[in-house]
Amino acid sequence: MDYHDLLARLGEGSAHPGGFTATMQLLDKLSLPAQSKVLEVGCGTGRTACYLARNGYRVTAVDLNRQMLEKAVRRARRERLDIRFIQADVKSLPFPDHYFDVIFVESVTIFTHWRSALAEYRRVLKPGGLFIDREMILSGRKTEMMSRRLKQFYGIKTLATMTTWKRRLKQSGFTSVLIKEKSRSMEMWGTDHDPHREMDVTLFENEQVQRMSRTNDRLLLRYRKRLGYAVFEARTPMDNVRKQNV
Ligand SMILES: C[S@@+](CC[C@H](N)C(=O)[O-])C[C@H]1O[C@@H](n2cnc3c(N)ncnc32)[C@H](O)[C@@H]1O
């Protein structure tokens, strides 16, 4: 069982800094145009995708983890929401070029190869499309040991500073790169009640899970002050179509 399998079995609905409250506050602030076609990448158990659909957006959501998606589908069904869920890898999104108005991501891109992820986000966004991504960032000194441990346990593939992420976004062809929120320390997920959470309670008796939980606590305690998070906002250029087709 890896970290994402554990999150899936726990049925965690908002596995990102600030939790669901931060997501709702961010979306309120963004006030996306009505009827926008939104892609949520790495939707987990679908809590944010459902919130977006409840607010009138046309939502497609992808995730790599099958169990996450099964829970997301059941959540949407219970809420009677029409959302298209697809199992897909960020590195090759199963959508045509320039298809979405908005891409919304929370705590996913750090688990991927950033170059291909950012290239795919850009490809499937319309010209002038909006990209929002909340990710863990490096806010202090990074050591080999730290990178190795975080990679090994969480599967993090890239741990970079806010400045490096901004540069990466620009290098990948995004414009108007902004920081919407930032924190120099790692915030926990929050403890708000998720009425549709499907938690596998037998997990707590499982020794592997107990070991993983202890490792998680140890890593957070040790590295919390060197990890923060930021919410990045960026746009695809208005001539996105022309440049990509040459
Ligand atoms: C930390 S969880 C965050 C889930 C959700 N965004 C949330 O905030 O609750 C990371 C999610 O990214 C998904 N993921 C990781 N790598 C992925 C990839 N290459 N393509 C698609 N999804 C991926 C995992 O399966 C997991 O659901």
Side-chain angles (χ1 to χ4, degrees), residues 7 54 56 111 120 125 142 153 156 171 213 219 236 240:
L7 288 183
R54 262 202 314 276
F111 302 108
E120 277 297 86
L125 268 175
K142 178 166 76 171
F153 183 72
I156 292 173
Q171 269 174 7
S213 164
L219 288 174
T236 48
N240 206 19

Side-chain angles (χ1 to χ4, degrees), residues 13-14 20 23-24 27 38 40 43-61 68-85 104 106 194-197:
S14 290
F20 193 55
T23 301
M24 289 189 295
L27 285 167
V38 181
E40 196 201 353
C43 63
T45 65
R47 196 174 184 193
T48 298
C50 286
Y51 182 75
L52 285 162
R54 262 202 314 276
N55 282 282
Y57 302 111
R58 292 175 290 163
V59 183
T60 301
M68 289 281 198
L69 282 170
E70 285 168 358
K71 291 193 177 184
V73 167
R74 287 197 291 270
R75 183 194 288 274
R77 219 174 269 153
R78 278 195 295 269
E79 292 201 41
R80 297 175 193 283
L81 294 166
D82 183 18
I83 299 171
R84 187 161 62 134
F85 288 104
F104 194 77
E106 289 185 300
D194 174 0
H196 297 297
R197 180 170 183 166

Side-chain angles (χ1 to χ4, degrees), residues 84-213:
R84 187 161 62 134
F85 288 104
I86 299 174
Q87 187 175 22
D89 192 319
V90 165
K91 69 180 178 209
S92 147
L93 293 171
F95 308 110
D97 296 356
H98 321 302
Y99 192 70
F100 294 99
D101 300 299
V102 178
I103 293 185
F104 194 77
V105 191
E106 289 185 300
S107 201
V108 178
T109 311
I110 55 166
F111 302 108
T112 70
H113 292 287
W114 67 268
R115 253 182 239 282
S116 47
L118 296 186
E120 277 297 86
Y121 298 155
R122 182 178 164 196
R123 180 185 67 76
V124 301
L125 268 175
K126 289 180 184 172
L130 178 65
F131 173 63
I132 301 289
D133 195 350
R134 179 193 302 275
E135 294 295 336
M136 184 199 279
I137 54 163
L138 184 68
S139 61
R141 198 172 55 90
K142 178 166 76 171
T143 60
E144 268 301 310
M145 172 82 91
M146 175 181 171
S147 297
R148 202 170 50 245
R149 283 183 171 158
L150 296 179
K151 189 173 178 173
Q152 212 169 44
F153 183 72
Y154 297 107
I156 292 173
K157 290 206 168 62
T158 177
L159 190 56
T161 62
M162 200 164 64
T163 310
T164 301
W165 275 112
K166 281 172 82 174
R167 195 181 60 236
R168 288 174 174 180
L169 281 161
K170 287 178 191 160
Q171 269 174 7
S172 305
F174 285 92
T175 60
S176 316
V177 179
L178 293 174
I179 305 297
K180 297 294 281 183
E181 258 177 70
K182 62 180 170 185
S183 167
R184 286 186 61 81
S185 62
M186 201 49 198
E187 272 179 38
M188 305 323 262
W189 298 342
T191 50
D192 61 296
H193 174 62
D194 174 0
H196 297 297
R197 180 170 183 166
E198 284 182 36
M199 192 194 302
D200 178 352
V201 285
T202 61
L203 276 184
F204 298 109
E205 290 147 27
N206 178 316
E207 270 183 35
Q208 188 192 1
V209 170
Q210 290 169 4
R211 263 199 315 277
M212 286 176 83
S213 164

